[in-house]
Amino acid sequence: MADRDPAPRTMRLKLSLPERLLVDQRSGQLVAEAENGSFGILPRHVDFVAALVPGILSFWDADGRERFVAVDEGVLVKAGDEVLVAVRDAVLGEDLESLRATVRERFIELDEHARAARSALARLEAGVVRRFIELRQEA
């Protein structure tokens, strides 16, 4: 009978977005950030759930390289040898500098979309108000 290793050396990290799975790989440890501060997880860590805040999630892949993911708010669940992370948005980076540049580009893009949406909403509201005024004048 083969001896089982009672201490797993890695855990499976699955990081998902609403539309796709961003990360699915083995990890030796990870560090994430919750409302009460950052925390680390090792393979034999106790099971738990944490609400994540926007920040950097770092993990070490099977080759021992540290990887970085900028995450939006979400939830992290550690159960057995799996760590499941669900966030609204995330950006994977090879290093912090490239991740910073990618996040900056994404924020600029999101800000432009938000400005366009606010402008379209303002035009829509003005049109509704104008139509109410016209209806009142007709009555």
Side-chain angles (χ1 to χ4, degrees), residues 7-12 26-29 43-44 60-62 81:
R9 290 180 173 79
T10 63
M11 54 198 159
R12 174 165 232 108
R26 304 298 297 179
S27 175
Q29 71 182 40
R44 289 186 43 107
W60 284 257
D61 64 19
D81 73 340

Side-chain angles (χ1 to χ4, degrees), residues 3 27-28 30 34 43 47 51-52 55 85 87 95 105 112 114 126:
D3 289 332
S27 175
L30 68 88
D47 293 352
L52 300 179
V85 179
V87 293
D95 58 54
E105 287 174 17
E112 289 172 1

Side-chain angles (χ1 to χ4, degrees), residues 53-87:
V53 296
I56 302 293
L57 183 145
S58 61
F59 65 95
W60 284 257
D61 64 19
D63 296 330
R65 292 182 310 151
E66 187 174 17
R67 307 286 306 274
F68 302 96
V69 185
V71 297
D72 197 355
E73 60 189 18
V75 176
L76 179 145
V77 177
K78 163 69 168 75
D81 73 340
E82 284 193 325
V83 178
L84 308 171
V85 179
V87 293

